[in-house]
Amino acid sequence: MEKAINVGIVGMGVVGTGVAKIILNQGHLLSERTGKRFVLKTAVDLDWEQERGVDLAGVQTTTDFEALVTDPEIDVVVETVGGIEPAFTMVRRALATGKHVVTANKALLAMKGRTLFQEAEDHGVELRFEASVGGGIPIIKSLREGLVANKIMNMYGIINGTSNYILTRMHREGLDFDAALREAQIQGFAEADPTLDVGGGDAAHKLTILASLAAGGFVDFNAIPVEGITELTTLDIDFAKNFGYVVKLLAIYRFNEEKLDLRVHPTLVPGDHLLAAVNNELNAVFITGDYVGDTMFYGPGAGQTPTASAIVSDLVDLASILQAEKVASIPTINPEKTVNLFSLEEITNRFYLRLFTLDQPGILAQIAGVFGKYGISISSVVQLETHGDENYVPIVLLTHEASEKAMFKAMMAIKEFPFVRPDILRLRLFK
Ligand code: HSE
């Protein structure tokens, strides 16, 4: 048996505790499979009163992060603190002291990744992040290694479990948005601030990581257009269903030699697409590579054990690096290269537009007139009888491919009509 790999965990919350459980309970299996011995030497947290359901006898438990990073015996620091600060300062310090770092922190990588990858490079250490996207799905390793021969042409991710859970409950049981969100929070996979889930921010953090990896350069999180699912009603879910679609919050990556088309928004996915069958809190990433063709990765995107399982896979990888004489470098995010993105205005899509209007003669013709004026071709129109508000009737229009710019202008013009209620919703169709 080779020398032990000494691990320190900072942040003994749900995920950190999961990592401790695997190292302590699954040690034999890991050793058998890898020929390495993993030792949980130190765990750092501010609260050592709470019961965690794991026996930490033999592990140094402390509130002092410095004790961890200045310990020369520690090989790898696992960061499971979450959020930007103090996680950023801690990860940076750990890298600067020559420790390899494994993190599950998607927000941190999306916002501060460039600095951290540079720091890792400067100090000749690794920053690993398998658990940051798709929880237990080995999506990072698949992109880095399994698909390394391919140019990634398209990538469509259902990578926020909370919104997928909400949309599934709305779709299957007609639950309204607020009730479905409350249930997701009870299940425990929503972020501390659930606006990150339902507003699309969490999916955008994860898309930043996937896109940076796939494109081999750094993507600016702030340049990604993001829309969440908060405006969706069960009426929209039903309309979509009747048109043969399922609404999913998609993180989208579309390759173009010149720039990348990245966005996060609710999308009408054809009912027979594989992504339409990804339900509840499960995640999936559908990837098309230029040589491999279509692939899909599916599994639990959150939770203690799936996330910890991904973190331990990084530890095993690092163990090989620590003990190999020479390791071929595997592509990762290059902090020195920036990837340019299309702005939303430059993109075309098919659209779903839902509005409520007074039920009077000539109204539909005026709305259609606006579409005509902006060169947008309508592919279907449906009007229902009154729905909730007896003065107004819901109308839904599906369009052929049109520019975002034209659609935005048409929407603004339609909003001006005195017979249209202000709560207009525009969604995009899968392409
Ligand atoms: N809040 C996240 C989700 C947790 O719902 O997917 C996993 O990153």
Side-chain angles (χ1 to χ4, degrees):
M1 178 77 59
E2 296 170 76
K3 172 188 167 289
I5 309 293
N6 288 317
V7 179
I9 300 176
V10 52
M12 284 292 286
V14 174
V15 175
T17 301
V19 177
K21 281 182 187 167
I22 297 182
I23 296 176
L24 296 169
N25 303 337
Q26 204 86 308
H28 280 300
L29 184 73
L30 290 174
S31 298
E32 234 172 72
R33 288 188 172 160
T34 64
K36 328 264 178 217
R37 196 159 60 86
F38 293 85
V39 174
L40 177 56
K41 184 160 192 267
T42 309
V44 184
D45 200 283
L46 293 178
D47 173 9
W48 287 110
E49 294 299 310
Q50 65 168 283
E51 177 48 51
R52 292 182 165 84
V54 60
D55 180 6
L56 294 173
V59 178
Q60 181 194 3
T61 54
T62 173
T63 55
D64 182 11
F65 175 69
E66 272 306 297
L68 172 66
V69 282
T70 53
D71 179 349
E73 288 188 354
I74 292 284
D75 299 301
V76 187
V77 171
V78 174
E79 181 271 311
T80 40
V81 173
I84 306 296
E85 281 297 359
F88 174 60
T89 306
M90 287 171 159
V91 171
R92 203 172 181 185
R93 171 97 179 106
L95 295 168
T97 51
K99 312 289 185 205
H100 301 285
V101 173
V102 176
T103 180
N105 193 332
K106 57 261 163 129
L108 177 66
L109 292 176
M111 308 301 286
K112 302 283 189 184
R114 183 167 230 149
T115 309
L116 294 176
F117 284 105
Q118 190 62 60
E119 193 83 48
E121 204 174 296
D122 292 350
H123 293 90
V125 286
E126 293 276 327
L127 173 58
R128 292 291 176 121
F129 50 97
E130 181 61 67
S132 63
V133 183
I137 308 171
I139 187 66
I140 302 295
K141 204 171 177 66
S142 301
L143 273 174
R144 280 174 72 144
E145 298 179 32
L147 300 177
V148 69
N150 292 265
K151 201 177 268 180
I152 304 302
M153 306 310 291
N154 297 314
M155 191 153 51
Y156 300 95
I158 295 176
I159 45 180
N160 181 261
T162 303
S163 4
N164 202 38
Y165 178 88
I166 293 171
L167 292 172
T168 304
R169 298 296 305 270
M170 289 173 80
H171 185 88
R172 285 186 170 167
E173 293 145 62
L175 218 64
D176 72 24
F177 176 85
D178 292 325
L181 171 58
R182 269 194 303 279
E183 290 213 14
Q185 286 175 300
I186 293 167
Q187 302 278 335
F189 31 73
E191 296 297 302
D193 169 8
T195 54
L196 274 173
D197 294 302
V198 296
D202 178 71
H205 287 149
K206 293 166 179 167
L207 179 62
T208 304
I209 297 168
L210 291 180
S212 298
L213 201 53
F218 220 82
V219 166
D220 176 8
F221 163 79
N222 294 307
I224 300 179
V226 180
E227 285 175 22
I229 60 166
T230 51
E231 307 298 314
L232 280 166
T233 65
T234 44
L235 178 72
D236 299 304
I237 304 282
D238 286 345
F239 265 123
K241 215 189 264 184
N242 290 332
F243 283 120
Y245 295 93
V246 178
V247 183
K248 295 289 181 193
L249 181 68
L250 287 193
I252 297 172
Y253 168 110
R254 290 171 59 82
F255 178 81
N256 177 297
E257 294 292 343
E258 184 198 348
K259 290 189 231 175
L260 281 186
D261 170 11
L262 299 186
R263 20 194 176 112
V264 172
H265 53 63
T267 309
L268 273 71
V269 176
D272 59 359
H273 193 283
L274 273 180
L275 286 168
V278 178
N279 285 311
N280 296 314
E281 72 279 18
L282 287 158
N283 281 197
V285 188
F286 187 96
I287 300 179
T288 307
D290 57 351
Y291 280 85
V292 71
D294 293 341
T295 59
M296 189 161 103
F297 302 81
Y298 170 86
Q304 182 181 63
T305 48
T307 311
S309 148
I311 288 177
V312 173
S313 80
D314 277 339
L315 289 177
V316 170
D317 260 8
L318 286 175
S320 328
I321 291 175
L322 283 165
Q323 292 174 342
E325 289 197 355
K326 180 158 173 27
V327 181
S329 93
I330 306 168
T332 188
I333 298 173
N334 178 357
E336 279 149 30
K337 193 176 143 198
T338 299
V339 180
N340 293 320
L341 307 189
F342 282 108
S343 72
L344 201 52
E345 284 201 333
E346 298 171 282
I347 295 167
T348 62
N349 277 302
R350 288 191 66 199
F351 295 94
Y352 161 106
L353 194 77
R354 182 263 294 146
L355 57 150
F356 289 88
T357 75
L358 293 175
D359 196 6
Q360 290 168 357
I363 282 181
L364 204 51
Q366 289 191 65
I367 291 167
V370 172
F371 277 84
K373 179 178 170 196
Y374 291 104
I376 303 169
S377 167
I378 295 168
S379 69
S380 309
V381 183
V382 176
Q383 178 185 324
L384 293 187
E385 296 198 353
T386 54
H387 180 91
D389 177 345
E390 61 183 34
N391 294 317
Y392 288 87
V393 290
I395 297 179
V396 167
L397 301 106
L398 295 190
T399 76
H400 289 293
E401 190 112 352
S403 85
E404 285 277 349
K405 208 172 182 171
M407 188 63 200
F408 182 75
K409 283 186 183 159
M411 238 173 87
M412 290 301 115
I414 290 169
K415 269 194 176 163
E416 293 295 310
F417 286 134
F419 49 79
V420 172
R421 240 170 53 179
D423 54 336
I424 298 182
L425 178 74
R426 172 207 42 190
L427 299 174
R428 296 165 182 92
L429 274 62
F430 185 84
K431 71 167 188 177

